[in-house]
Amino acid sequence: MSIDVEDSVNDFVKQHREGSVAFIVVDNPPVNALRAEVRAGLLDAFSAARDDKAVAAIVLMCAGRTFVAGADITEFGKPPMPPPLSEVIDTIEAMDKPTVAAVHGTALGGGLELALSCRYRVATPSAKLGLPEIKLGLMPGAGGTQRLPRLIGVEKALGMIISGDPVPAQSALESGLVDEVVEGDLGAAAAAFARKLVAEKRMREPVRDMTEKLAEMRSNPAKFDELAAAHLKRSRGLAAPAAAVDAVRSSFEASFEEGLKRERAKFLELLAGDQSKAQRHVFFAEREAAKVADLPKDAKPRQIKRAAVIGAGTMGGGIAMCFANAGIPVKIVEMSKEALDRGLATIAKNYRNTAARGGLTAEEVDRRIGLIEGELSLEAVSDADIVIEAVFEEMELKKRVFADLDRLAKNDAVLATNTSYLDVNAIAQATNRPGSVVGMHFFSPANVMKLLEVVRGAATAPDVLATAIDVGRRIGKAPAVVGVCHGFVGNRMLRVRGIEAERLLLEGALPQDVDGALTSFGFPMGPFAMGDLAGLDVGWRVRKAEGRRAEIADRLCEMGRFGQKTGKGFYVYEAGSRTPKPDPEVERLIVETSARLGVKREAISKEDILERLVYPMINEGARILEEKVAQRPGDIDVIWIYGYGWPVWRGGPMYYADQVGLAAISARLREFAQKTGDKTLEPAPLLAQLLALLSWTAAADEPHDRQLPAVTVSAGRASMTWSPLTTRGR
Ligand code: T1G
Ligand code: NAD
């Protein structure tokens, strides 16, 4: 069959010929994922180009905003559809005509593996190439662990596969991953590249046959072990990195075919594993969390070219860095020169530390610092498109600041508050433009933590909300839209966990037991080490404002033990060390307090501690859903993973509740309520209703829809989960 005019192989793949060059174009918006029809279309198109005598070379490229961004993740977990990607890749690699992959946007996962099956790759200057499977609890499964080391060397390949981070076109050129970075029209440049190959009768060997770049590790496998150990040190609890290391090791230890087989076996193991299922849930939940069901389609984000931040303390400085990192000029306003200088010095120190670790060049550091301007007058906000307030957590102060911003900021400026707990509606009412006020709750350190709780006030205008979400994405955050309540979603659930943690100390546990239960579960640190890091005085101020007492934590604060910043908190810290050490003085205080309060101390198992900390959080999550402070359970998962260190491979608290089962959780909660006398530990109405529905459906044995006061629920046949509340059931 000859390819002369533009024709569709199927709805997702098109082909056409310009002279002797055949173009095979994938067109599957939004990211050209390799769904079954795309694979089938590619197989047909490449087979046709192979057999068409008029075709001397083939260019593979994509329509739309990006090259293939990988396998279609929505197909995972479903019965595999033919043809397998490996068959497409083998067909392309076996071609006896030059094949050129023309990359724009992102060539990721199976998309990069597809490009690796071509003999040559060209890319636009802004293109990025990577194997991000590790972020889905997977590893490359279509030859990436065998072909990438052969093309760019084992060390670089291992780095790309374990980090999952894409590399820019220029570095890809330097490593040999791409052969040319082309300017202008990509299709034309790729065709010119292909014609030159034909004219010069050049045809490189397929990547699978390349071995030169394997030699170093073959002769010195100990070096690989060192590299692997360094990478695996940072992958606590995750299964995929070790599996990926083994597969990459096969690339220089075994034959290509044997390496492919080992890769495939490990890939399928991970694909069927709980960790990847959880991480795939998080992938889609993260994208849903920024969507607002009732946001009018025409609510367009406002243009944000300049920003201002009020307060250069712990948070203000980090927030300003986020804008500078995204190339947005930002003014940071303080109330005293001393405070301003301190804030700017911390910013500069943070950037220099990143540069020292090789994360930024000195020029880039200067460029970013150059985008941050210190100011001592609030007048400086007059040309800002968005202003983010990060002053002390005091309502009256924040109201005063917003009243001033109302006067000084330009009419269409977005006014955001970084408050951790306070009522955004009350802050908005301190202005004459409450529609322009929104909460943008960053997490410490603000330049590192990925989460941004976007707090929608009662009066927040749709385009202001859309702007906060858009700005969140532009500065590299995972925005999650929440409603107004005390502590919003994350801190509200954190508060519940904190209360249980304090109770566990009185009942028999020690700080290291409680923290140990959470770190074994996968958290980077437990509540008491985290309290010491953030400063126990922060929580103390909040409890005092609430008129609430935490017997042990408050006693420590009264003793001046604020945590790391005073060298003593729940733990003791040697000078210059951040390593928490149990302190007998704290243990004595805890035992005395139990006795003073008449609480009988007894041994508590790690499992019981974990349930005692996590189940009440899930229960509070149910209340948050009932009150529509969060739209979906997945939003709560995203908030806890990106804001509070919940291990991504456990999917988040609400996803985890699914795994454990709502019936078991409710039963334990009732026990906790009885034991503590705390009625708030009784299962939330939504939990009880979902369980009632379970027993009802089991009885009726018919799936059905039923209106519940807070949400609409459809019941599965097997077991009652949050999934009816979750998005689109992926
Ligand atoms: N499969 C299915 N849907 C996908 C998808 C994918 N690979 N990537 C994105 N989407 C959807 C996404 O859910 C959203 O949908 C829309 O596309 C836009 O995405 C064999 C096994 C490419 C950098 O891990 O990193 O290949 O919400 O909002 O910010 O070895 O999407 O609009 O309904 O994120 O511009 C490896 C995943 C797969 C890349 C674009 N590939 N994607 O970011 O848009 S595993 C990945 C991304 C694999 C092989 C293995 C990003 C992006 P909706 P978006 P964006
Ligand atoms: P901080 O004490 O470190 O910094 C506050 C800064 O605001 C100080 O430098 C102070 O000089 C400045 N300031 C006070 N009044 C001002 C005014 N009128 N004009 C200009 N500057 C003024 O506090 P922080 O930890 O950065 O917290 C700031 C806000 O962010 C609070 O609302 C807090 O609840 C919230 N927050 C804190 C964290 C955290 O972990 N620290 C996390 C999320 C949100």
Side-chain angles (χ1 to χ4, degrees):
M1 180 180 81
S2 72
I3 308 169
D4 37 25
V5 296
E6 159 93 20
D7 76 61
S8 295
V9 179
N10 64 20
D11 294 348
F12 303 98
V13 177
K14 303 190 175 26
Q15 63 190 353
H16 70 275
R17 188 158 53 76
E18 288 173 18
S20 65
V21 175
F23 285 84
I24 296 177
V25 183
V26 176
D27 189 0
N28 175 27
V31 295
N32 291 312
L34 289 165
R35 58 186 290 169
E37 296 86 338
V38 171
R39 300 192 304 268
L42 285 170
L43 198 55
D44 292 352
F46 273 94
S47 308
R50 177 192 56 214
D51 305 338
D52 183 341
K53 301 261 176 302
V55 172
I58 299 109
V59 169
L60 167 64
M61 58 189 300
C62 293
R65 64 185 166 130
T66 180
F67 191 78
V68 174
D72 188 330
I73 306 169
T74 63
E75 289 186 347
F76 291 163
K78 296 175 184 153
M81 302 273 285
L85 180 54
S86 55
E87 186 182 342
V88 179
I89 284 177
D90 291 348
T91 301
I92 297 173
E93 194 165 51
M95 303 280 287
D96 57 3
K97 302 172 180 179
T99 46
V100 180
V103 175
H104 74 294
T106 53
L108 301 176
L112 181 54
E113 291 171 304
L114 200 59
L116 289 172
S117 72
C118 295
R119 300 298 169 100
Y120 300 89
R121 285 147 293 281
V122 298
T124 59
S126 61
K128 290 192 172 157
L129 303 90
L131 294 173
E133 288 87 343
I134 214 94
K135 298 182 179 178
L136 297 168
L138 295 169
M139 52 182 255
T145 65
Q146 305 307 305
R147 289 190 176 85
L148 193 63
R150 282 170 164 75
L151 191 61
I152 69 172
V154 176
E155 181 165 356
K156 283 204 179 78
L158 183 66
M160 280 182 69
I161 290 168
I162 298 296
S163 73
D165 297 331
V167 295
Q170 193 48 41
S171 329
L173 181 67
E174 284 147 21
S175 70
L177 180 51
V178 302
D179 301 288
E180 204 169 292
V181 173
V182 294
E183 299 287 348
D185 179 85
L186 176 61
F193 185 91
R195 288 197 182 91
K196 199 155 165 285
L197 293 170
V198 174
E200 297 165 5
K201 295 194 175 18
R202 266 193 305 127
M203 175 76 158
R204 166 198 282 162
E205 63 182 339
V207 177
R208 62 182 294 149
D209 297 340
M210 296 176 182
T211 55
E212 192 194 321
K213 294 209 174 161
L214 301 176
E216 184 202 359
M217 289 306 172
R218 276 200 174 132
S219 59
N220 179 12
K223 177 171 180 193
F224 181 82
D225 299 339
E226 259 170 56
L227 283 171
H231 282 298
L232 293 179
K233 238 191 353 224
R234 291 188 294 274
S235 62
R236 215 162 39 82
L238 292 162
V245 162
D246 289 348
V248 174
R249 186 192 303 279
S250 310
S251 70
F252 63 87
E253 269 188 358
S255 71
F256 180 80
E257 285 309 333
E258 180 52 29
L260 265 190
K261 241 179 28 223
R262 293 183 193 173
E263 174 197 87
R264 191 74 196 153
K266 288 192 179 298
F267 172 79
L268 293 174
E269 201 182 304
L270 293 171
L271 187 67
D274 291 341
Q275 292 200 357
S276 179
K277 287 181 189 146
Q279 288 174 262
R280 292 178 339 239
H281 156 72
V282 175
F283 176 84
F284 289 113
E286 179 183 340
R287 280 147 185 83
E288 293 296 319
K291 295 179 184 159
V292 181
D294 63 346
L295 195 64
K297 289 258 171 304
D298 60 358
K300 293 282 171 275
R302 297 182 184 175
Q303 268 228 318
I304 303 296
K305 292 203 184 90
R306 308 185 70 78
V309 177
I310 317 304
T314 312
M315 296 306 289
I319 296 170
M321 289 175 72
C322 293
F323 283 95
N325 295 347
I328 302 170
V330 54
K331 289 182 181 166
I332 189 161
V333 183
E334 257 293 350
M335 59 181 185
S336 71
K337 178 139 187 7
E338 188 221 346
L340 182 61
D341 292 349
R342 190 177 50 238
L344 294 174
T346 306
I347 291 172
K349 192 183 91 224
N350 286 341
Y351 275 130
R352 274 196 294 279
N353 289 349
T354 308
R357 286 194 307 274
L360 283 176
T361 61
E363 298 69 43
E364 190 51 25
V365 168
D366 294 345
R367 195 184 67 76
R368 294 183 189 197
I369 290 178
L371 287 168
I372 302 174
E373 227 177 302
E375 300 278 354
L376 288 171
S377 156
L378 215 50
E379 314 267 341
V381 303
S382 58
D383 62 351
D385 304 306
I386 186 166
V387 183
I388 303 191
E389 163 276 316
V391 302
F392 301 132
E393 184 77 347
E394 291 151 21
M395 182 55 97
E396 289 321 306
L397 170 62
K398 289 191 189 288
K399 283 184 175 175
R400 274 201 310 281
V401 169
F402 271 76
D404 291 340
L405 292 178
D406 190 17
R407 235 171 358 91
L408 297 166
K410 57 187 200 177
N411 292 341
D412 61 353
V414 168
L415 307 180
T417 172
N418 182 51
T419 179
S420 306
Y421 285 87
L422 300 174
D423 182 346
V424 172
N425 294 327
I427 294 172
Q429 291 311 323
T431 72
N432 297 312
R433 45 173 144 170
S436 298
V437 178
V438 64
M440 289 179 75
H441 183 209
F442 290 76
F443 288 75
S444 180
N447 55 309
V448 176
M449 295 301 282
K450 192 173 175 187
L451 178 66
L452 178 70
E453 270 186 330
V454 175
V455 187
R456 181 185 192 173
T460 301
D463 64 334
V464 168
L465 187 60
T467 306
I469 296 167
D470 183 59
V471 165
R473 281 223 182 94
R474 281 178 63 193
I475 61 176
K477 301 298 179 191
V481 180
V482 300
V484 173
C485 70
H486 187 65
F488 317 123
V489 172
N491 282 347
R492 176 172 163 181
M493 293 167 70
L494 185 71
R495 180 176 171 281
V496 166
R497 187 183 81 176
I499 291 169
E500 291 315 306
E502 170 89 11
R503 282 185 175 139
L504 284 161
L505 291 184
L506 292 173
E507 294 169 15
L510 293 172
Q512 56 271 32
D513 303 328
V514 175
D515 285 355
L518 281 189
T519 50
S520 312
F521 182 74
F523 276 88
M525 65 174 65
F528 299 117
M530 193 167 98
D532 279 0
L533 175 70
L536 300 180
D537 51 326
V538 179
W540 194 25
R541 246 201 315 275
V542 173
R543 286 191 297 278
K544 273 195 240 174
E546 291 174 1
R548 186 164 62 84
R549 182 170 173 78
E551 285 296 336
I552 294 163
D554 290 10
R555 186 76 199 95
L556 290 173
C557 290
E558 287 147 9
M559 296 156 69
R561 300 177 65 118
F562 295 149
Q564 288 190 17
K565 58 183 156 188
T566 56
K568 286 182 175 185
F570 280 98
Y571 298 97
V572 63
Y573 300 82
E574 276 147 22
S577 160
R578 287 177 176 278
T579 310
K581 291 215 172 344
D583 186 344
E585 189 187 347
V586 173
E587 184 169 340
R588 257 194 315 282
L589 168 70
I590 292 171
V591 173
E592 282 160 13
T593 309
S594 301
R596 180 168 56 78
L597 299 174
V599 181
K600 184 167 168 305
R601 297 181 63 74
E602 54 195 10
I604 311 174
S605 73
K606 192 183 272 187
E607 292 65 36
D608 286 353
I609 291 175
L610 183 71
E611 292 178 359
R612 221 13 220 288
L613 295 170
V614 169
Y615 292 2
M617 279 172 56
I618 292 169
N619 203 29
E620 195 63 21
R623 291 200 177 89
I624 286 169
L625 288 166
E626 285 162 11
E627 298 161 24
K628 295 197 179 209
V629 172
Q631 299 173 83
R632 306 159 202 103
D635 300 0
I636 298 176
D637 292 336
V638 166
I639 286 168
W640 267 81
I641 286 165
Y642 290 132
Y644 299 84
W646 182 283
V648 67
W649 40 276
R650 291 192 188 273
M654 310 319 270
Y655 179 88
Y656 179 69
D658 265 350
Q659 311 315 307
V660 173
L662 302 184
I665 291 174
S666 296
R668 289 294 275 153
L669 283 168
R670 272 191 292 278
E671 286 169 28
F672 299 157
Q674 193 147 28
K675 180 180 174 60
T676 61
D678 178 350
K679 286 267 165 281
T680 67
L681 291 176
E682 288 290 349
L686 176 62
L687 263 186
Q689 282 150 0
L690 287 171
L691 281 173
L693 202 61
L694 169 68
S695 56
W696 194 87
T697 41
D701 199 24
E702 272 307 313
H704 69 103
D705 283 354
R706 179 169 177 185
Q707 185 65 32
L708 286 175
V711 291
T712 305
V713 169
S714 61
R717 190 185 289 275
S719 69
M720 182 52 60
T721 70
W722 299 100
S723 51
L725 302 176
T726 314
T727 55
R728 297 193 289 189
R730 288 195 177 119

